[in-house]
Amino acid sequence: MPDPRLAREVIASPFAIQGLTVSYDHRPVVHSVDFVVPPGSMTAIVGPNGAGKSSLLKAALGITRRLTGEVRVFGRPIEQMSRHVAFVPQRNSVDWDFPARVIDVVAMGLFRDLRWWQFSGRDHRRRAMESLGRVGMEAFADRQIGQLSGGQQQRVFLARALVQEADLTILDEPFAGVDAATETAIVEVLKSLRDEGRTLLCVHHDLSTVRDYFDHVLLLNVRRIAAGPVAEVFVERHLQATYGGRLSPVQLARLVGSAAEVGGR
Amino acid sequence: METWWHALTFSLGYNTSVVTLGSMLLAAAAGMVGTFVLLRKRALVSDAISHSTLPGLALAFILVGLVTGDGRLLPALLLGAAASAALGLWAVQAISARTRLGEDAAIGAVLSTFFAFGVVLITVIQSMRVTGQSGLTGYLVGATAGMLASEAQLIAACALGLLAAVLVMRRDFLMVCFDADFARTQGVNTWRVDLLLLMLLMAVVVVGMKVTGLILIVALTIIPPVAARFWTDQPMAMVALAALLGALSGYLGVTLSSVSEGLPTGPLIVLCAFGLFLASFLFSPRRGVLASLLAYRRFRQRVHLRQGLLALGRDEPIFDGLTLSLLRRRGYIRRDGVATPPGQAAARDAEHEERLWALYRERYPDDALHREHAGLTPIAQVLSADAIMALEAQLMGLREMRP
């Protein structure tokens, strides 16, 4: 049972961060961030370069060390609940000349379901192929991963996460350097996951698409600037605070102008 | 030649057969462990391990020699070597983790220091009154000729244990090698997996010392995996193939060394492994030199064919001899250079492909940059179906705008 003293929203949330600080050489890159991801939401983490977006995710997931802070999945420490969390890392974090086919990479998502004496059987292959189908890549199953384009690599990484059928999928810059068709395809898959009641958390860098893709947002610049539903939080005041006045009036007008439209509808 | 044939067919007596089999098992284990080490991009670590075995080996020899008068006691020597290799590994890890030096610098520093210390100890041994000193050189270049069956059995048993360990850990190793961050989110303790991989590597080095010598064992953990990479794109197939190639070089090397007294086993095994590597490098159908040359020829022909077809479509004259002969051979033009009906159809297809690719380059310049030869491969082989549909739709839209 989760600790009964926890807030109800923390117990309900698939990803609740409390007091997370990450530092490299005594310099905090993420400072004391609290953030509760609402269940069933599609949430973006937005902030300028060097704001600690990826560092926050990596530390929260236990990939890098965190200085302080707790991360809970449905009220329990994430270390016990990692089965419920799927992660899509940045595409350039691996060597794509690795001797593996697309299907081998997707099968890595099945790691937990396979014991050492088992060889991956027909059922596992079927599940991997299903995930590949969802991202439109089933024709590429036996292709060497080095032959894929950037967009296709991203689709394969997404398929590897899909095969885990996790409640929460965390993506680190899934739209960086992919073609427009792939971006649309990925957004479609993510929205279909949300419609199944799953939760999505994305590091996102393109401010102009935040409104179209996401319903919740965390504005981050080392510290938490603001968080909540996009319509309430994604406004000029918070954006200026996040980007430290680096957004031009034209950019802001475009972003906030669309906010006015949404508000008026 | 005849002796070699006897050795190859295991008819040179029980002892030689056991030694050959033991060496083959060891080489197979080295290939398997080496594949993961190579994929983890830490091939140099095996070099550090092998060099740092020397002081431990020499110290063990001195201690055993002082007690019994003869330093050659294989289990004790292996333990000593393992202990100092572990110390060397720890030093490499500590230096690269706690200082600003990279792992390569740490490896260089540790490797040379340990080896220097070992060499000093060996000169000490040479001045001691202990028997079996000549046996020690066997650990430097490998000597299976004088190996006892019991020693070979010990080596074989260790190698079998290593093979089993790799089999059990194969998925963890693979995950960590490909994407350590992802592995950690899957609950894999990557630190422990890395440590275990290094332990296995150390075991290979220590056990293999007697067979190939402590310096050359490194070759068995690197050459067979690299050769295997030429033949396959599947991770587990690469591991299996590296084991096979390793065993094969062990088999050839050990049998060759039994041809005449005093032939060093280690260098022979390594040279055999290199021969296998060279054959893979030249003749592999996937990445070999010969295949690359052929692929280049095919590519050139494709460029000529495409340019020829585009010229046909635009009714431009073609002068290039290769282009003309390619078009003629496929029946796209008649002898006098006039396009045939299939030639006209092919020209139209080529033009359409070209337009799709042009649109693709225009719309997604970043992505197009990543693709080599973008435009020559049929677009359906490169892009997924939905992406092509989107392009086709855009192309239609463009045509309607500019009737």
Side-chain angles (χ1 to χ4, degrees):
Chain A
M1 275 300 288
D3 194 329
R5 285 169 300 176
L6 291 170
R8 202 184 303 153
E9 56 165 3
V10 170
I11 294 175
S13 167
F15 203 64
I17 300 171
Q18 287 171 313
L20 181 72
T21 299
V22 187
S23 85
Y24 298 138
D25 294 335
H26 306 292
R27 191 174 55 86
V29 288
V30 175
H31 188 75
S32 190
V33 169
D34 298 306
F35 181 53
V36 178
V37 178
S41 71
M42 212 161 137
T43 303
I45 301 179
V46 173
N49 286 335
K53 300 177 300 254
S54 292
S55 304
L56 173 90
L57 278 193
K58 284 190 175 170
L61 284 164
I63 294 170
T64 54
R65 213 179 329 169
R66 42 185 191 249
L67 198 65
T68 62
E70 277 173 46
V71 181
R72 291 177 187 278
V73 173
F74 298 122
R76 291 181 213 197
I78 188 168
E79 289 74 22
Q80 300 165 16
M81 301 290 279
S82 57
R83 169 174 274 281
H84 300 267
V85 182
F87 177 52
V88 180
Q90 283 185 22
R91 175 164 66 76
N92 55 15
S93 64
V94 303
D95 170 17
W96 289 94
D97 195 36
F98 197 86
R101 296 163 304 167
V102 166
I103 190 88
D104 296 319
V105 173
V106 178
M108 287 183 198
L110 294 166
F111 176 76
R112 290 168 173 289
D113 299 344
L114 287 162
R115 299 268 76 84
W116 65 266
W117 62 84
Q118 287 177 311
F119 288 91
S120 36
R122 195 174 297 164
D123 183 49
H124 296 111
R125 188 174 164 93
R126 183 185 54 74
R127 281 173 64 189
M129 288 303 286
E130 264 173 27
S131 309
L132 276 175
R134 278 185 87 164
V135 297
M137 288 284 290
E138 64 269 68
F140 293 78
D142 292 313
R143 206 61 88 76
Q144 212 274 320
I145 54 170
Q147 300 170 359
L148 302 179
S149 73
Q152 291 169 337
Q153 292 172 351
Q154 195 66 56
R155 290 180 193 224
V156 171
F157 263 9
L158 182 59
R160 180 177 66 173
L162 287 178
V163 83
Q164 296 175 48
E165 294 173 355
D167 296 304
L168 169 71
T169 304
I170 295 179
L171 305 96
D172 195 353
E173 302 259 15
F175 307 119
V178 304
D179 53 281
T182 297
E183 179 157 341
T184 320
I186 292 178
V187 169
E188 286 308 314
V189 172
L190 298 186
K191 288 193 167 158
S192 76
L193 283 173
R194 183 187 50 186
D195 295 342
E196 291 169 18
R198 299 176 200 272
T199 312
L200 296 135
L201 178 63
C202 246
V203 167
H204 191 61
H205 68 290
D206 184 3
L207 288 176
S208 63
T209 49
V210 170
R211 284 180 182 282
D212 302 330
Y213 297 167
F214 299 98
D215 46 38
H216 283 69
V217 66
L218 163 68
L219 292 173
L220 185 79
N221 190 349
V222 183
R223 291 163 175 80
R224 164 185 165 143
I225 307 294
V230 170
E232 292 169 20
V233 172
F234 202 67
V235 295
E236 181 174 353
R237 184 165 50 95
H238 293 321
L239 281 171
Q240 279 296 22
T242 312
Y243 284 82
R246 264 177 285 168
L247 293 176
S248 69
V250 182
Q251 277 174 303
L252 266 174
R254 201 179 303 140
L255 295 168
V256 178
S258 53
E261 272 171 39
V262 172
R265 220 187 282 162
Chain B
M1 200 65 212
E2 209 185 319
T3 335
W4 189 32
W5 176 250
H6 283 305
L8 280 173
T9 51
F10 292 101
S11 48
L12 219 57
Y14 175 72
N15 214 47
T16 320
S17 304
V18 173
V19 169
T20 310
L21 281 175
S23 308
M24 285 170 69
L25 276 176
L26 172 87
M32 287 174 89
V33 175
T35 304
F36 288 114
V37 175
L38 186 77
L39 290 178
R40 192 81 176 105
K41 306 204 187 315
R42 304 183 84 173
L44 261 185
V45 172
S46 49
D47 216 15
I49 294 179
S50 67
H51 281 79
S52 38
T53 51
L54 190 58
L57 180 75
L59 273 180
F61 186 90
I62 292 174
L63 282 179
V64 175
L66 286 179
V67 176
T68 64
D70 185 344
R72 288 172 301 176
L73 180 66
L74 187 60
L77 294 180
L78 294 189
L79 274 180
S84 79
L87 190 68
L89 255 186
W90 176 82
V92 169
Q93 296 281 31
I95 291 174
S96 55
R98 303 223 177 108
T99 69
R100 283 172 183 277
L101 292 176
E103 197 176 62
D104 53 343
I107 287 171
V110 169
L111 173 159
S112 45
T113 311
F114 272 69
F115 195 66
F117 184 44
V119 171
V120 169
L121 285 177
I122 287 203
T123 36
V124 171
I125 291 174
Q126 279 163 355
S127 65
M128 278 169 60
R129 271 202 224 131
V130 189
T131 48
Q133 287 175 6
S134 60
L136 209 53
T137 54
Y139 288 95
L140 294 179
V141 290
T144 50
M147 203 192 280
L148 305 172
S150 64
E151 289 176 329
Q153 278 157 1
L154 177 68
I155 289 171
C158 291
L160 276 179
L162 286 169
L163 289 172
V166 171
L167 190 70
V168 171
M169 293 298 295
R170 65 186 187 282
R171 274 200 194 95
D172 299 73
F173 284 156
L174 187 67
M175 292 269 284
V176 172
C177 288
F178 178 62
D179 192 347
D181 285 0
F182 179 76
R184 227 163 293 170
T185 67
Q186 295 294 292
V188 178
N189 186 334
T190 54
W191 187 84
R192 212 180 288 164
V193 171
D194 270 332
L195 185 71
L196 186 70
L197 183 59
L198 289 183
M199 289 296 175
L200 292 182
L201 182 64
M202 195 178 87
V204 164
V205 169
V206 169
V207 175
M209 239 167 22
K210 178 84 182 178
V211 178
T212 65
L214 56 87
I215 305 301
L216 289 175
I217 182 70
V218 175
L220 273 191
T221 63
I222 298 177
I223 298 178
V226 173
R229 182 69 184 93
F230 280 99
W231 299 97
T232 178
D233 282 331
Q234 292 179 47
M236 293 311 172
M238 181 175 161
V239 174
L241 213 56
L244 195 77
L245 291 173
L248 191 60
S249 16
Y251 173 59
L252 294 174
V254 172
T255 48
L256 267 178
S257 80
S258 62
V259 166
S260 138
E261 193 75 18
L263 275 177
T265 321
L268 284 174
I269 294 181
V270 172
L271 287 179
C272 290
F274 176 73
L276 293 175
F277 163 78
L278 197 65
S280 312
F281 175 69
L282 291 176
F283 303 119
S284 148
R286 285 161 188 271
R287 305 178 147 223
V289 172
L290 212 63
S292 308
L293 277 177
L294 288 176
Y296 171 74
R297 255 180 65 113
R298 274 199 304 274
F299 175 65
R300 200 175 60 154
Q301 291 186 353
R302 234 165 47 198
V303 176
H304 277 276
L305 191 65
R306 169 60 65 89
Q307 284 174 341
L309 284 174
L310 290 177
L312 271 190
R314 290 194 290 261
D315 268 337
E316 287 167 6
I318 303 167
F319 300 109
D320 189 281
L322 179 60
T323 313
L324 284 172
S325 80
L326 280 170
L327 287 172
R328 212 172 291 141
R329 222 182 300 157
R330 286 171 191 243
Y332 289 159
I333 53 171
R334 297 198 314 236
R335 281 203 162 276
D336 55 0
V338 178
T340 59
Q344 284 163 353
R348 272 194 302 277
D349 285 349
E351 228 169 312
H352 182 65
E353 279 265 333
E354 201 70 6
R355 261 194 230 112
L356 281 178
W357 274 120
L359 185 66
Y360 178 75
R361 275 194 293 270
E362 186 188 314
R363 291 289 149 95
Y364 316 116
D366 294 341
D367 226 38
L369 266 183
H370 289 298
R371 284 178 224 284
E372 293 167 291
H373 330 310
L376 279 166
T377 358
I379 198 162
Q381 278 177 25
V382 182
L383 299 184
S384 39
D386 55 335
I388 298 176
M389 291 283 274
L391 279 178
E392 294 267 15
Q394 288 174 13
L395 203 59
M396 295 278 272
L398 283 179
R399 277 204 201 123
E400 274 159 28
M401 269 161 54
R402 301 188 287 229

